[in-house]
């Protein structure tokens, strides 16, 4: 598991380096803050309630006091940069996203493709929603991110709200 986490971290670092190169070439700006690198869905040895335990954060990320994290919404909704409050009752964790309201196959069966495209276009979000199969990642497949954030204000504080400009899947 630790090898896989390290491998994923190295991949994210490589993708960030390529992105920074592209941005620098396009804008002339080559000064970047350190990237926010947040892993999820892995286990870590930690101390909680005066015991050494293994914490598996499935669908969650660390939210230690002052630690920055990312809680993404879905295509067309806000995402959030947050700071952890270190709530011991949550093992110092918070969600790592909006979470699914519909399973992938269920979303493909029940969501209206034209309606989901209209939601994104109303928000002026450049998107790649084109086919019924794409509905597994459509906005209607996810929970309301505002409600998800509101339900964990004892775990995190919002530092920055991000509004999407483009979401390209593929």
């Amino acid at each position: 598991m630790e090898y896989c986490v390290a491998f994923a971290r190295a991949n994210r670092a490589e993708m960030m380096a390529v992105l920074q190169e592209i941005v620098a070439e396009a804008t002339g700006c080559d000064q970047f803050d350190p990237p926010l690198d947040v892993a999820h869905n892995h286990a870590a040895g930690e101390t909680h309630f005066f015991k050494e335990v293994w914490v598996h954060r499935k669908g969650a990320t660390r939210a230690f006091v002052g630690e920055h994290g990312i809680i993404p919404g879905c295509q067309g909704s806000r995402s959030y940069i947050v700071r952890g409050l270190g709530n011991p009752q949550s093992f110092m964790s918070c969600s790592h996203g909006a979470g699914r309201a519909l399973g992938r196959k269920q979303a493909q069966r029940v969501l209206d493709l034209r309606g989901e495209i209209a939601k994104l276009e109303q928000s002026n979000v450049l998107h790649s929603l084109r086919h019924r199969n794409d509905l597994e990642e459509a906005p209607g497949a996810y929970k309301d991110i505002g409600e998800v954030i509101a339900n964990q204000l004892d775990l995190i504080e919002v530092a920055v709200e991000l509004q999407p400009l483009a979401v390209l899947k593929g």
Side-chain angles (χ1 to χ4, degrees):
M1 180 200 65
E2 289 176 7
Y3 172 81
C4 292
V5 169
F7 184 82
R9 183 174 291 114
N11 276 306
R12 290 190 302 275
E14 184 62 27
M15 287 187 286
M16 184 58 72
V18 170
L19 176 67
Q20 288 176 343
E21 218 175 276
I22 292 167
V23 169
E25 187 176 309
T27 67
C29 175
D30 62 357
Q31 300 297 308
F32 301 95
D33 288 336
L36 185 54
D37 185 5
V38 179
H40 64 275
N41 295 347
H42 71 281
E46 298 174 5
T47 303
H48 293 278
F49 304 104
F50 308 105
K51 288 186 178 180
E52 293 296 319
V53 296
W54 282 95
V55 178
H56 180 220
R57 292 184 175 90
K58 175 74 173 146
T61 57
R62 284 176 30 145
F64 284 45
V65 174
E67 185 172 45
H68 282 90
I70 305 169
I71 302 178
C74 67
Q75 293 189 49
S77 73
R78 288 186 162 91
S79 293
Y80 295 84
I81 306 298
V82 299
R83 265 187 302 277
L85 298 178
N87 187 322
Q89 297 301 311
S90 71
F91 288 82
M92 294 188 260
S93 303
C94 67
S95 73
H96 84 85
R100 299 191 71 82
L102 300 172
R104 294 180 187 281
K105 295 296 180 191
Q106 182 184 18
Q108 291 171 344
R109 281 193 310 272
V110 304
L111 292 177
D112 175 59
L113 180 60
R114 289 183 189 185
E116 294 298 317
I117 289 171
K119 286 180 197 175
L120 291 167
E121 291 180 354
Q122 270 184 324
S123 300
N124 293 317
V125 174
L126 178 64
H127 64 88
S128 59
L129 200 59
R130 302 286 183 266
H131 307 285
R132 179 152 291 286
N133 286 348
D134 299 332
L135 289 172
E136 69 180 22
E137 294 294 333
Y142 286 86
K143 296 175 186 171
D144 179 292
I145 188 63
E147 188 176 329
V148 170
I149 293 294
N151 286 334
Q152 59 185 325
L153 291 177
D154 58 335
L155 308 178
I156 50 96
E157 64 180 354
V158 174
V160 178
E161 284 187 25
L162 304 168
Q163 183 67 38
L165 302 174
V167 181
L168 303 174
K169 305 283 282 185

